[in-house]
Amino acid sequence: GAVVSQHPSRVICKSGTSVKIECRSLDFQATTMFWYRQFPKQSLMLMATSNEGSKATYEQGVEKDKFLINHASLTLSTLTVTSAHPEDSSFYICSARVGGGAPGEQYFGPGTRLTVT
Amino acid sequence: AQSVAQPEDQVNVAEGNPLTVKCTYSVSGNPYLFWYVQYPNRGLQFLLKYITGDNLVKGSYGFEAEFNKSQTSFHLKKPSALVSDSALYFCAVSPPGGSARQLTFGSGTQLTVLP
């Protein structure tokens, strides 16, 4: 089956620093990847759609300059949280579509727990 | 706009008993429906999907779901629950022909299977 990995799984950083999270599709090529944010005991909120070779599409209310997304290759998308603050602490999950799959069918990474102190 | 409702935040069931996790949806046209499971500090794992065809869909780990168009529901079921089924379950919907960006998740239901 399609496997998506994320690195790191857990990161703690100081307020004001930047953190990069990687999302990789291990055994397939993903032209489109998605970044979600999940607060404790809440559902996933789509932050942005990452498109290989082009700019990401951000959802309303998501700061483009704060959450930088780069989709440099067909197997890698990165999310950089710039000038992180404690309110950015959250669980970040990426997913990828498999080509030919049903719309909405996505494979999810294991998530990254970000804690900003 | 499409939406998904999971009316129960928490479902408790004894091991060996049947379980049901409820989901209702609102979307124009015939939807694509999904169930995902999330274990603590993990990403979502795909369980099953309904696209078209038989209303009863079978998925991973013995789970199944029944699509009911008249009731706009897609309840997740399992005949005999296991303690290891304890996790957070999400229903999701996308409109037919919609992009993956249009996937909408329910609020999640925490399932606890008691030994």
Side-chain angles (χ1 to χ4, degrees), chain B residues 20-31:
Chain B
T20 299
V21 182
K22 296 179 180 178
C23 171
T24 58
Y25 65 89
S26 174
V27 67
S28 299
N30 295 317

Side-chain angles (χ1 to χ4, degrees), chain B residues 3-61:
Chain B
S3 64
V4 179
Q6 292 181 241
E8 300 159 317
D9 291 337
Q10 175 83 39
V11 170
N12 296 327
V13 65
E15 187 175 29
N17 283 1
L19 69 86
T20 299
V21 182
K22 296 179 180 178
C23 171
T24 58
Y25 65 89
S26 174
V27 67
S28 299
N30 295 317
Y32 295 164
L33 294 158
F34 304 83
W35 274 101
Y36 289 89
V37 59
Q38 184 180 32
Y39 296 97
N41 295 309
R42 301 294 300 275
L44 275 64
Q45 295 180 30
F46 171 79
L47 277 181
L48 53 79
K49 66 183 178 186
Y50 172 81
I51 304 299
T52 186
D54 194 350
N55 289 344
L56 184 63
V57 178
K58 293 186 182 298
S60 306
Y61 312 120

